[in-house]
Amino acid sequence: MGYEMKDKIVGPMPAEEFLEEFLPFSEIPDYDVSSFTSAFTSGMFNDTLSAAGEQNAYRPFINTMKSFAPQLSFIDSHNNADTVNCSSFTFNIKPDVCVYSDPTPRGTDISKAEIIIEFKWGYCHDPFLQDGDSIVSSTENSMDTLGQITSYAAAQLGAQYRSHAFSVLIVRDRARIIRWDREGAIVTSAINYNTEPHLADFFHRYARASPELRGIDTSVSPASAREAALARAWLNLSNITRMFKVSVPCVDTPGVLTLIIPQPTALGFPPAGRGTRTCPAFDFVNEKVVMFKDSWRVSLPDVLPEGETYKLLKSHDVRNVATCIAYHDVPFPIPQQLNQTVKFSSAVWARPNTVITPHILHRLVLDIVGRKLTKFESSHQLVQSIRDALIGTYVEISKLHLIYVYVHSSQGRT
């Protein structure tokens, strides 16, 4: 994944600016700055740096850092792979340290992890350059590390409903904080965490921050026990499947469609991109099963939201197209939850990078749940499915010019 991600890394963002932008004091209620400044002193991580090897550094680092964030649980997870949430990955997901918001998880549970910390004890493994035209090092060891931390971010964003996630990379005496979203990643300048306060300050702020600042998508909430039990029965899911609730505005009527959906599964794709997730969902009010889609669509003026596309196709009587009954671009309550990589790719401190595509979270609901084509029960069923698709495609192509003219004229273009 490192090679797929290397052109979507933006940095080095000054560490102090990173904290003020993504975890600002103004957004943390009753935050006491003096509680941190009085606690941090140079040399606090001497025990970490004097450890005989990387694995011996985990415990002293945890012991020191948890004093700044007692609300969080720091777990040595390097020997415990997540085999439940990451089965689609071809390699083990087992970060060195996982940080949780409650004390119950043990080992690696990527579906509940808040922050992932990875250690490297040799500078040759650092994927980020101190100087030069690029922020990313192209050596084999560096790309291996970049691939590793990217896979952890991909797993976390894939197994949770999040707008973004933070991780930390420790390379002996220096650290970098990374903010991952669906456009790419923003990485800080190197922090000498034993003498500079920024890393400890990050954890101090994060521990006191709201779920939204931490990157949790609060438009999705845990379902009640009754809602979860009923949805599992309708969706034929295990009674231990975690269930969530989400609302999507209806297309033809006022109000919203309230759905109960299962916890998402990490699929092993890089974090930058659409991050598309689909699943059958339980319409709680109407007591029926529908199809739910959650995707970070490309946010450009000429790109029509998918829900609008379904609506347009239906208005032109294109056959064999499912009906979209609810959709919207998800509004986030605070600006920090919007994708930020594109925004900062042109900052004065950003080293040259390729053009990064803006994305925005889009959700839609279809009135029918399809079956995989590979599950056909007869050759007739297979041929019928292909026939129906061809009819829809033919009609769509024949009306393409009309739809093109309609869309562009409605947007004031010719």
Side-chain angles (χ1 to χ4, degrees), residues 108-313:
T108 302
D109 183 347
I110 210 70
S111 71
K112 296 181 180 180
E114 292 271 348
I115 301 170
I116 290 170
I117 307 174
E118 184 63 23
F119 285 74
K120 298 296 177 187
W121 225 233
Y123 296 119
C124 64
H125 296 283
D126 192 343
F128 305 116
L129 295 170
Q130 297 282 76
D131 303 294
D133 293 333
S134 173
I135 184 65
V136 176
S137 170
S138 60
T139 68
E140 184 176 351
N141 285 334
S142 298
M143 293 308 297
D144 284 347
T145 302
L146 181 59
Q148 187 178 13
I149 61 176
T150 298
S151 68
Y152 296 160
Q156 185 182 10
L157 290 172
Q160 301 183 30
Y161 285 103
R162 279 184 164 270
S163 57
H164 60 279
F166 295 100
S167 70
V168 173
L169 175 65
I170 306 286
V171 182
R172 206 173 182 91
D173 61 344
R174 60 192 187 216
R176 293 183 192 260
I177 311 167
I178 308 165
R179 182 193 182 280
W180 306 85
D181 61 32
R182 292 300 182 178
E183 293 174 349
I186 299 172
V187 60
T188 66
S189 54
I191 303 165
N192 188 329
Y193 61 93
N194 195 35
T195 58
E196 298 174 354
H198 308 302
L199 183 62
D201 193 7
F202 165 74
F203 282 103
H204 190 264
R205 297 189 195 202
Y206 189 96
R208 294 156 178 82
S210 66
E212 292 85 356
L213 272 182
R214 292 182 177 189
I216 296 171
D217 182 356
T218 51
S219 68
V220 179
S221 59
S224 70
R226 176 173 172 268
E227 292 167 337
L230 190 57
R232 291 189 196 106
W234 275 80
L235 299 173
N236 295 317
L237 297 173
S238 163
N239 60 11
I240 62 171
T241 302
R242 294 173 65 201
M243 305 300 291
F244 295 87
K245 180 162 62 175
V246 64
S247 295
V248 185
C250 296
V251 171
D252 296 323
T253 59
V256 297
L257 205 60
T258 300
L259 306 177
I260 310 301
I261 55 177
Q263 175 190 311
T265 301
L267 297 178
F269 299 123
R274 295 180 183 271
T276 301
R277 294 185 281 214
T278 60
C279 66
F282 177 57
D283 177 349
F284 187 76
V285 174
N286 299 304
E287 292 198 338
K288 64 178 182 179
V289 177
V290 293
M291 177 59 76
F292 172 71
K293 183 175 182 180
D294 175 284
S295 180
W296 293 81
R297 71 173 182 88
V298 173
S299 180
L300 292 173
D302 289 336
V303 178
L304 204 63
E306 189 172 355
E308 289 285 347
T309 301
Y310 273 104
K311 185 177 180 180
L312 188 58
L313 292 172

